[in-house]
Amino acid sequence: MKKGSTEHSVNLRNYRAKYRDLITGTPYDIKKLNGSENCIHSILLFTSDFIKESGTGKYASELLHTLTSGHSPQSSLDNRDFKAVNAKMNELQKLYQEQSQHRYGKELLYLAFASLLYEVAAVRQKYSTNINAPLSRKEHIVLNFIHLVKEHFRQQRNLAFYASKLNITPKYLTETTKAISGKSASTIIEGIVNEEAMMLLDNPALSINEIATMLNFSDQSFFGKFFKRGIGISPKNYRNTLKRNQD
């Protein structure tokens, strides 16, 4: 957080972020921005595929365990650590934007990404605190549901599959997620799929047809309809919007 403050929640817990706070999380945590006051911040999003391509996959389980829900996702950094993380974020952004202009642009990007991961992992281990507040049975169901969707969303979008894994009925699962998160179980599944789709669309090396295949859609047309229903625009128009914003 570079300026101001904001109210937000991660995995059903409320937080207030302020200047020099670092917030981490997995792509599919239950996240909600409740309000902000002249907030200026930097956000880094990346896919599991990018981790594999960058060569950090063998270290990922060790580095990314600091992003799990067992610890508070928010850390208040001192000025030195804030500047260190911010500098690596800025370097990564610059390399991402200019990678096509350098013979080894992608390799430099991967090295900067690994450097940032190590920096964040060290900072999180230094500042992290355990979450001890108890959760209700329904909250446990929702968090376990989210965990299952993270594991299986590329292969399974069927509500009955997840309900069966949780030993409850699809109706009860939907009622529970609606009561806890304000969203139905199907909406959460679709949101997770579309969040991954948006991150994949940010990679110009992947065709829309390849992304549809990666997400286990029968064809590009079906993927396009699914994405447009959730996001409001087609994958092609979404990608064009990203390109215009980067130019």
Side-chain angles (χ1 to χ4, degrees):
M1 187 72 64
K2 296 181 176 180
K3 180 181 178 182
S5 62
T6 183
E7 299 284 350
H8 68 102
S9 63
V10 180
N11 291 330
L12 313 177
R13 300 182 187 278
N14 295 320
Y15 301 90
R16 183 173 185 83
K18 60 187 184 306
Y19 175 58
R20 293 199 315 221
D21 279 357
L22 172 69
I23 303 166
T24 59
T26 65
Y28 314 115
D29 286 334
I30 305 174
K31 302 178 286 287
K32 182 180 179 182
L33 183 65
N34 300 322
S36 61
E37 300 172 6
N38 300 318
C39 176
I40 299 177
H41 57 268
S42 296
I43 298 177
L44 172 65
L45 302 174
F46 55 88
T47 66
S48 57
D49 290 330
F50 181 82
I51 290 177
K52 294 175 184 176
E53 293 169 6
S54 69
T56 56
K58 61 183 177 180
Y59 311 114
S61 60
E62 177 184 349
L63 297 177
L64 299 181
H65 81 280
T66 58
L67 309 185
T68 65
S69 57
H71 294 84
S72 171
Q74 183 169 312
S75 303
S76 297
L77 312 186
D78 63 26
N79 194 52
R80 179 180 178 180
D81 289 329
F82 171 75
K83 286 184 176 180
V85 172
N86 200 46
K88 291 187 181 295
M89 288 276 286
N90 290 338
E91 179 187 16
L92 192 66
Q93 180 183 22
K94 183 175 183 292
L95 288 170
Y96 176 76
Q97 293 173 338
E98 299 177 357
Q99 59 181 303
S100 62
Q101 302 171 25
H102 194 287
R103 181 182 179 90
Y104 300 107
K106 183 168 287 188
E107 288 76 10
L108 289 172
L109 176 67
Y110 290 157
L111 286 172
F113 176 71
S115 178
L116 175 62
L117 275 189
Y118 280 112
E119 186 70 47
V120 170
V123 166
R124 291 287 293 136
Q125 290 171 23
K126 178 179 179 180
Y127 293 94
S128 65
T129 56
N130 289 325
I131 299 174
N132 297 314
L135 295 174
S136 68
R137 178 177 180 274
K138 287 187 175 182
E139 288 173 332
H140 274 295
I141 288 174
V142 173
L143 291 180
N144 287 336
F145 168 61
I146 293 293
H147 177 74
L148 285 170
V149 179
K150 291 179 189 179
E151 282 191 87
H152 302 288
F153 75 92
R154 289 200 179 195
Q155 292 77 38
Q156 288 287 346
R157 293 186 290 274
N158 191 320
L159 186 60
F161 170 84
Y162 295 104
S164 175
K165 288 283 188 180
L166 294 166
N167 295 314
I168 57 178
T169 66
K171 180 181 178 182
Y172 185 73
L173 175 57
T174 287
E175 290 174 348
T176 302
T177 58
K178 187 75 173 177
I180 298 300
S181 70
K183 299 178 181 179
S184 70
S186 294
T187 299
I188 290 174
I189 295 171
E190 291 176 7
I192 287 174
V193 174
N194 280 326
E195 189 170 346
E196 178 77 355
M198 286 188 287
M199 287 190 286
L200 293 173
L201 286 166
D202 195 29
N203 182 356
L206 294 173
S207 70
I208 294 176
N209 188 57
E210 286 175 322
I211 293 171
T213 301
M214 292 170 67
L215 295 176
N216 201 30
F217 285 92
S218 57
D219 55 50
Q220 182 176 328
S221 176
F222 185 41
F223 166 59
K225 292 176 181 177
F226 181 95
F227 186 85
K228 187 172 183 179
R229 182 174 69 241
I231 305 303
I233 59 176
S234 68
K236 181 179 180 180
N237 287 339
Y238 178 83
R239 173 166 274 176
N240 289 338
T241 299
L242 288 175
K243 187 177 179 180
R244 286 195 299 270
N245 290 339
Q246 291 170 0
D247 291 342

